[in-house]
Amino acid sequence: MKTILAAVNAKYIHSNLAVYSLRAYAKDYLSETKIAEYTINQQIDEILMDLYREQPELLCFSCYIWNLDYVEELVREIKKILPETIIWLGGPEVSYDAKEVLLRLPEVTGVMKGEGEETFAALLDFYHGKTERLDETAGITFRKEDGEIRENTWREVMDLSLVPFVYEDLSLFEHKIIYYETSRGCPFRCSYCLSSVDKCLRFRDLDLVKRELQYFLDQKVPQVKFVDRTFNCRHGHAKEIWKYLLEHDNGITNFHFEVSADLLDEEELELISRMRPGLIQLEIGVQSTNPDTIREIKRTMNFERLSEVVKRIKTMGNTHQHLDLIAGLPYEGYESFGQSFDDVYGLMPDQLQLGFLKVLKGSYMQEHAEEYGLVYKGKPPYEVLGTSWLSYGEIAQLKKIEEMVEIYYNSGQFANTLRFLVKEFASPFRMYEKLSGYYEEKGLFGRSHTRTARYEILLDFIGENVKGKTEFYRELLVYDLYLRENIKSRPEFAGESLADKEFLKAFYDREEKEPVYLKSYEKADSRKLRKMTHIEVFEFQVDRDMEPGKTVLLFDYQNRNPLNYEAAVFRIGEKEE
């Protein structure tokens, strides 16, 4: 029976771990089961034609908040051109209201609820005639031949060590993000998250995990993203994995983990301190610093301890940290969210993500929506529109602030400028609020701006809001620009270069003959040295907290910081007249 597992991913194709696990677990039917991956950016007709060419007898879709509308449209259309094809759905977006899904989509035969590996294998047994009835198959809701919808019991959670490793043939995953799983479930009960519904936390066997990690290391995979909801919830498990990565580091592969920073103990922090810059990166969910909010959403988080840990890891200089906030939670109004923003911004993470509450089906938050005055979109991703504490107008304002944070903070292109600029305002939140107002006033939202234009816009904003310091900030912006960008066409806002041609020629001639600063460029002529570097003369000591005094800096783009991609910088003395 020809079976297609269809994955319609968000924006870009990644390795959809769920569907690959389903196929691998149904090992008796590998030759007849194919995975078809698409993105929501593709035209419906393109996918329809592709599926029609395949002529599947059984077609299964994996459903999430980002693709449900798209999948439903596909299902309605595919049944018109392939009326005999049997269609099943699975995934978190259809598991908790399976009967309603089947009533809404008469084209669909059934829904696989929850974990799907064993359920999918059981379905294939049925359609291949090895079993006679679906009535006793756990983990499904299905439409019987007479049209009656039958809700079977949920399947017992499986031993995670039995889930097959799906990456033996990495050629199937070229140019895709690699996802990996060593635990399922979560020990916490955060009310906005579906992981709280799965009460059974289980772990993959560590010996098995180490063998699989070694495979990734041997194959020099660029990045592996762990999908474990709280990777460090079992200290022994986390430490064994981090020790293994530290001892077997290949110098290339990066591993991404979601952790609770306040749970990291001294041994874990010591392990992190010894890691190669870029070996691991951490995603840390803060969500809010309002104690009433944290208590109401049933989240376990000690922000004081979290702050200590984040600051300590930052001083190590080897680990990228991504911190999250969620707008729209109970008891979190606009001013409270601004305080949460300032609290987290003060930790200076490498990235600060402003997310907006998604009221997920089956979650505690959905059950208590009326109590919280929650208004949210009727279609996926069910994003919050307002609460008893936060109006839609305030959410709209936070959306604009979010865009400013993405452009100016998370890009990493304005780090030194922002370090000083936020001090000119009552708080970081007020600075980004003011900047978003400037964008709105000047009609800058919704337009495509070049990178250099972003610098010019920020300088104009500073000119209007910070009096008497335009030259001070212009130099900071030039410094930030050349830290990241090896541009040879000097932008207008940077003004005339103070480095004269004779000075530049003398420096590069010396470096070509007897290198002092550019020793990594073996036998390079001055033309190549110029191509891969930049020299800038500053009136302030931009690399030393803007102390007074002229300085000359060399930016080396062949040698960059692996965490923030900034060029190596050398002081090469005063400008020679």
Side-chain angles (χ1 to χ4, degrees):
M1 183 178 206
K2 189 171 185 180
T3 303
I4 298 290
L5 283 164
V8 184
N9 299 315
K11 296 185 180 179
Y12 49 82
I13 291 180
H14 55 72
S15 64
N16 192 305
L17 185 57
V19 296
Y20 279 96
S21 294
L22 294 185
R23 180 179 182 273
Y25 198 82
K27 51 186 176 294
D28 292 341
Y29 308 103
L30 288 181
S31 62
E32 299 174 338
T33 305
K34 181 178 178 181
I35 293 172
E37 289 189 279
Y38 309 100
T39 80
I40 58 175
N41 290 339
Q42 290 178 259
Q43 295 294 320
I44 290 285
D45 281 346
E46 180 184 347
I47 300 176
L48 285 175
M49 287 188 287
D50 189 60
L51 292 175
Y52 182 79
R53 278 194 299 271
E54 294 290 346
Q55 294 285 307
E57 295 168 85
L58 175 62
L59 177 59
C60 304
F61 286 95
S62 184
C63 302
Y64 301 89
I65 56 174
W66 63 78
N67 74 357
L68 183 62
D69 284 349
Y70 199 94
V71 168
E72 289 195 5
E73 184 177 354
L74 274 171
V75 164
R76 292 186 178 100
E77 303 304 333
I78 200 70
K79 197 66 172 179
K80 295 174 185 176
I81 56 176
L82 293 172
E84 301 304 316
T85 295
I86 302 164
I87 299 176
W88 279 75
L89 306 181
E93 199 49 38
V94 293
S95 289
Y96 300 97
D97 62 344
K99 184 174 181 180
E100 288 77 6
V101 170
L102 293 181
L103 289 173
R104 186 168 71 244
L105 295 172
E107 299 85 358
V108 175
T109 295
V111 172
M112 291 176 271
K113 302 182 290 189
E115 289 182 330
E117 287 93 349
E118 292 178 335
T119 303
F120 179 64
L123 281 181
L124 291 185
D125 281 344
F126 170 77
Y127 285 114
H128 282 81
K130 291 187 177 181
T131 57
E132 295 184 359
R133 296 168 61 86
L134 287 177
D135 299 58
E136 298 177 0
T137 300
I140 63 171
T141 297
F142 69 102
R143 197 187 313 275
K144 300 176 71 172
E145 289 185 5
D146 61 5
E148 177 192 351
I149 293 176
R150 179 182 173 88
E151 287 260 21
N152 287 5
T153 59
W154 285 65
R155 185 175 293 273
E156 291 293 321
V157 297
M158 66 185 298
D159 181 346
L160 196 57
S161 296
L162 297 178
V163 176
F165 183 67
V166 302
Y167 295 112
E168 283 91 351
D169 183 2
L170 279 174
S171 66
L172 300 173
F173 304 96
E174 193 172 356
H175 308 303
K176 298 177 184 177
I177 298 172
I178 299 296
Y179 290 99
Y180 183 65
E181 176 180 47
T182 71
S183 67
R184 282 185 186 172
C186 183
F188 306 115
R189 297 291 177 260
C190 303
S191 62
Y192 54 83
C193 180
L194 279 183
S195 293
S196 64
V197 176
D198 184 355
K199 303 293 192 298
C200 186
L201 174 63
R202 55 242 127 96
F203 296 83
R204 195 164 176 84
D205 178 76
L206 274 171
D207 289 335
L208 185 59
V209 168
K210 290 175 183 178
R211 290 198 298 272
E212 292 165 351
L213 291 178
Q214 189 58 52
Y215 176 78
F216 291 135
L217 291 164
D218 292 342
Q219 298 299 316
K220 295 181 170 57
V221 172
Q223 186 182 58
V224 177
K225 298 192 79 169
F226 278 61
V227 298
D228 304 46
R229 297 309 303 161
T230 306
F231 173 74
N232 62 322
C233 63
R234 180 184 283 183
H235 292 290
H237 182 82
K239 289 173 189 176
E240 279 297 306
I241 290 173
W242 280 351
K243 283 178 184 176
Y244 191 87
L245 295 181
L246 180 60
E247 294 167 0
H248 297 81
D249 180 20
N250 62 9
I252 296 171
T253 306
N254 164 266
F255 295 88
H256 176 106
F257 301 92
E258 291 187 36
V259 301
S260 287
D262 52 321
L263 297 182
L264 290 171
D265 63 24
E266 286 302 311
E267 187 177 352
E268 287 164 329
L269 290 169
E270 195 275 333
L271 283 170
I272 293 172
S273 72
R274 293 192 284 124
M275 291 179 177
R276 162 182 60 85
L279 173 59
I280 70 168
Q281 63 189 51
L282 303 178
E283 183 172 345
I284 300 164
V286 181
Q287 321 315 5
S288 172
T289 64
N290 182 325
D292 293 331
T293 297
I294 293 298
R295 184 167 49 252
E296 185 64 24
I297 64 176
K298 307 182 188 306
R299 184 165 176 77
T300 304
M301 192 260 296
N302 181 336
F303 184 68
E304 184 178 352
R305 170 61 180 167
L306 182 148
S307 299
E308 293 173 0
V309 168
V310 170
K311 290 175 182 177
R312 183 168 164 185
I313 292 174
K314 189 171 183 65
T315 63
M316 297 173 188
N318 64 347
T319 302
H320 176 101
Q321 297 184 95
H322 173 129
L323 272 59
D324 298 335
L325 287 170
I326 297 178
L329 295 173
Y331 297 103
E332 186 90 279
Y334 185 80
E335 295 302 321
S336 172
F337 186 84
Q339 185 59 58
S340 292
F341 180 96
D342 289 336
D343 290 340
V344 175
Y345 193 94
L347 302 179
M348 300 305 293
D350 297 284
Q351 284 202 307
L352 170 54
Q353 181 178 329
L354 274 64
F356 293 82
L357 178 66
K358 311 295 189 295
V359 186
L360 303 178
K361 292 177 182 177
S363 68
Y364 178 93
M365 195 65 68
Q366 185 197 39
E367 293 175 7
H368 292 260
E370 186 175 348
E371 176 185 342
Y372 298 141
L374 266 175
V375 180
Y376 55 95
K377 293 180 180 177
K379 291 187 176 182
Y382 313 113
E383 191 170 273
V384 65
L385 295 171
T387 73
S388 296
W389 301 270
L390 193 66
S391 70
Y392 176 72
E394 290 168 331
I395 288 176
Q397 176 60 42
L398 290 178
K399 289 276 189 180
K400 296 169 189 172
I401 293 172
E402 176 201 22
E403 186 170 342
M404 295 298 94
V405 172
E406 286 296 315
I407 292 169
Y408 288 102
Y409 186 85
N410 288 342
S411 68
Q413 296 168 2
F414 306 87
N416 295 282
T417 304
L418 292 176
R419 185 160 52 90
F420 285 89
L421 187 57
V422 293
K423 298 174 185 177
E424 308 282 359
F425 296 83
S427 72
F429 183 74
R430 295 305 176 197
M431 191 275 285
Y432 287 99
E433 182 183 59
K434 188 76 171 178
L435 183 57
S436 70
Y438 180 82
Y439 258 67
E440 189 164 29
E441 177 190 341
K442 303 295 182 182
L444 299 172
F445 282 118
R447 291 165 56 182
S448 178
H449 301 283
T450 64
R451 286 188 178 183
T452 53
R454 300 290 190 189
Y455 288 85
E456 293 165 355
I457 291 169
L458 189 56
L459 186 60
D460 290 342
F461 167 77
I462 291 167
E464 286 195 14
N465 291 275
V466 183
K467 301 303 180 185
K469 292 188 176 181
T470 301
E471 185 58 26
F472 177 91
Y473 281 105
R474 186 191 68 78
E475 290 225 326
L476 275 170
L477 285 166
V478 171
Y479 180 55
D480 277 331
L481 174 68
Y482 283 112
L483 271 175
R484 297 289 296 269
E485 305 293 335
N486 182 13
I487 59 172
K488 300 307 178 186
S489 178
R490 192 174 182 82
E492 185 177 341
F493 84 89
E496 292 292 328
S497 173
L498 299 180
D500 59 70
K501 293 181 180 179
E502 290 183 5
F503 169 72
L504 295 175
K505 184 177 186 306
F507 174 82
Y508 284 113
D509 284 347
R510 288 197 302 270
E511 285 296 305
E512 180 182 353
K513 294 173 183 176
E514 191 172 345
V516 175
Y517 302 100
L518 304 175
K519 294 180 180 179
S520 62
Y521 294 79
E522 294 184 6
K523 298 180 181 179
D525 59 29
S526 61
R527 182 165 48 184
K528 180 180 179 182
L529 295 179
R530 284 175 180 261
K531 185 177 180 180
M532 292 303 297
T533 63
H534 174 76
I535 291 175
E536 187 73 23
V537 180
F538 294 94
E539 297 290 352
F540 292 91
Q541 297 186 61
V542 291
D543 60 332
R544 293 183 181 175
D545 286 334
M546 297 301 284
E547 296 174 7
K550 185 178 294 185
T551 187
V552 185
L553 298 183
L554 169 71
F555 299 85
D556 177 6
Y557 300 106
Q558 183 168 276
N559 296 287
R560 292 180 179 268
N561 184 315
L563 294 186
N564 57 24
Y565 202 59
E566 289 181 354
V569 180
F570 303 96
R571 277 178 157 249
I572 59 175
E574 295 298 315
K575 172 178 174 290
E576 297 180 9
E577 300 294 345

